[in-house]
Amino acid sequence: MRSRRTATTVTALTALAVGAASVLMSPAASAATGAATCTPTTLPLPAGTDSGNVDAADSQGGYAGEASSGSSADGTRENRVVRWKDGRAIDYGRLLEPSASITVNGVNRDGTVVGYSVGAENIGRAFRSRDGKLERLPLPAGARSSFATGINDTGDIVGWTRTAEEDSPHTAVLWPADAPGTAVKLSGGLPTAGHTEAAGIDQDGTVLVNHYPEGAPVSSTAVYLWRSGSARKLAVPTGTAKAHGGAISNGRVAGMAGGTSGAVWDKDGSMMVVPNSGSLHSINSTGQSVGYEPWNWGAVLYGVWRMDTQIATLGNRVGVYVSADNGSVAGYIQNTTTGKLSPTTWRCG
């Protein structure tokens, strides 16, 4: 149900990946520096891989992400999609050639994993898992690249497509569970100029959509909630030029407003600025979110919030991308010696 537009791909992992046994955590990574203490648990890696990262969580205590092995220097790195369930790593393989990047953006209660792979010519190919393997999602007419960004427990998948290069028109799409093999361009209440990208989908079918003005889609300027052919724009303070929705869950949206502050839109549509946050990218069904603290001279620190109250800060050598419905947060811990990553969950309390 949640998505990160700037999701860590296994291309990023090529310089950073590791096995759990050799992880060395700095004190700041093993415990929160805020009010709550966060206790890490390292997830296992599939056989033959040496690094991994958690990028999504289901509503049943499971997770999904990427794993990799090999060397980026000689082009042998192999990127794979992984699901973690009941303490076990399930390897779903890859969609394209080994060197292609992979981004996982969602997993539902049935274990269906969605995301996209980017290979030759920078063409994106949205995928879903089925029967333990990955398959491409269909393209709507006129589209060349596709990117899946979220899935709900019904099996509806959302994302966006583009016709050609990066700055060609981006269009929010829905792959409906009740119409397999189809891709529906979202229309009704959404802007027709510029770019639209679906960033996530709630359990009731509400789709979170970001709108980007004409030109290259760099910074979104408006956030919409779309459902069944109609959309409403989320309110932002007067004079706000940038707004971005990172995730939706149980009627709440987490994201960014103004370009420098994290924000949460409550179920009634009211927006609150989240203290000591720069951007939020995941929120669970109870309103717990994760994201970045304000940028500090190149250092990225991740935090955990409950609505507009910060409960923990996780320090260096850590990436936290997921706020799961079971209360955990997830991402990776970086090895301080090798610079590699291990998939990790935390409990903060």
Side-chain angles (χ1 to χ4, degrees):
M1 292 181 291
R2 76 95 185 88
S3 167
R4 293 178 292 110
R5 174 174 164 79
T6 54
T8 295
T9 69
V10 180
T11 295
L13 294 178
T14 57
L16 298 167
V18 80
S22 62
V23 170
L24 300 174
M25 295 180 295
S26 67
S30 60
T33 58
T37 297
C38 298
T39 303
T41 299
T42 301
L43 298 177
L45 287 164
T49 63
D50 62 8
S51 75
N53 181 73
V54 183
D55 265 331
D58 62 27
S59 56
Q60 304 288 316
Y63 306 91
E66 306 98 9
S68 61
S69 62
S71 170
S72 58
D74 61 14
T76 63
R77 178 158 293 280
E78 181 171 292
N79 309 314
R80 311 184 72 80
V81 173
V82 182
R83 181 186 177 218
W84 289 275
K85 186 68 175 178
D86 299 326
R88 185 168 63 98
I90 305 169
D91 186 351
Y92 286 170
R94 63 182 187 273
L95 187 66
L96 300 176
E97 63 273 10
S99 60
S101 68
I102 291 176
T103 298
V104 168
N105 276 323
V107 59
N108 69 3
R109 66 184 176 191
D110 295 327
T112 302
V113 180
V114 299
Y116 60 86
S117 185
V118 179
E121 300 182 10
N122 199 31
I123 296 174
R125 294 172 175 85
F127 65 75
R128 57 160 287 168
S129 64
R130 186 196 295 269
D131 299 327
K133 298 181 180 180
L134 303 181
E135 63 180 22
R136 296 183 186 182
L137 291 170
L139 286 169
R144 188 184 185 199
S145 286
S146 59
F147 306 82
T149 57
I151 183 172
N152 63 11
D153 285 345
T154 303
D156 296 321
I157 301 169
V158 296
W160 53 279
T161 63
R162 69 180 185 225
T163 55
E165 65 276 2
E166 175 66 25
D167 58 353
S168 64
H170 294 197
T171 303
V173 296
L174 167 70
W175 289 274
D178 60 3
T182 64
V184 180
K185 296 180 180 180
L186 301 191
S187 61
L190 295 174
T192 56
H195 310 265
T196 57
E197 296 181 358
I201 183 168
D202 214 340
Q203 300 292 18
D204 66 355
T206 300
V207 182
L208 175 64
V209 180
N210 291 304
H211 176 246
Y212 299 79
E214 296 284 358
V218 177
S219 297
S220 54
T221 58
V223 183
Y224 291 82
L225 298 182
W226 181 97
R227 186 182 180 192
S228 303
S230 63
R232 65 184 176 94
K233 185 178 181 180
L234 292 179
V236 296
T238 301
T240 299
K242 297 179 181 179
H244 184 81
I248 184 170
S249 180
N250 196 23
R252 299 185 181 95
V253 171
M256 175 273 293
T260 58
S261 298
V264 168
W265 287 266
D266 210 345
K267 295 180 179 181
D268 62 1
S270 62
M271 193 204 88
M272 60 187 75
V273 174
V274 179
N276 198 38
S277 67
S279 179
L280 305 179
H281 44 244
S282 180
I283 189 168
N284 72 2
S285 59
T286 64
Q288 175 184 279
S289 62
V290 296
Y292 309 113
E293 293 187 2
W295 187 261
N296 182 21
W297 294 100
V300 177
L301 297 180
Y302 291 84
V304 184
W305 291 263
R306 290 197 179 105
M307 297 302 287
D308 61 348
T309 301
Q310 187 170 15
I311 62 172
T313 297
L314 288 115
N316 61 346
R317 304 292 183 177
V318 165
V320 184
Y321 301 130
V322 180
S323 181
D325 283 345
N326 66 3
S328 67
V329 299
Y332 68 80
I333 289 176
Q334 184 179 16
N335 185 293
T336 56
T337 301
T338 66
K340 298 180 179 181
L341 312 180
S342 282
T344 305
T345 68
W346 290 262
R347 286 284 184 172
C348 301

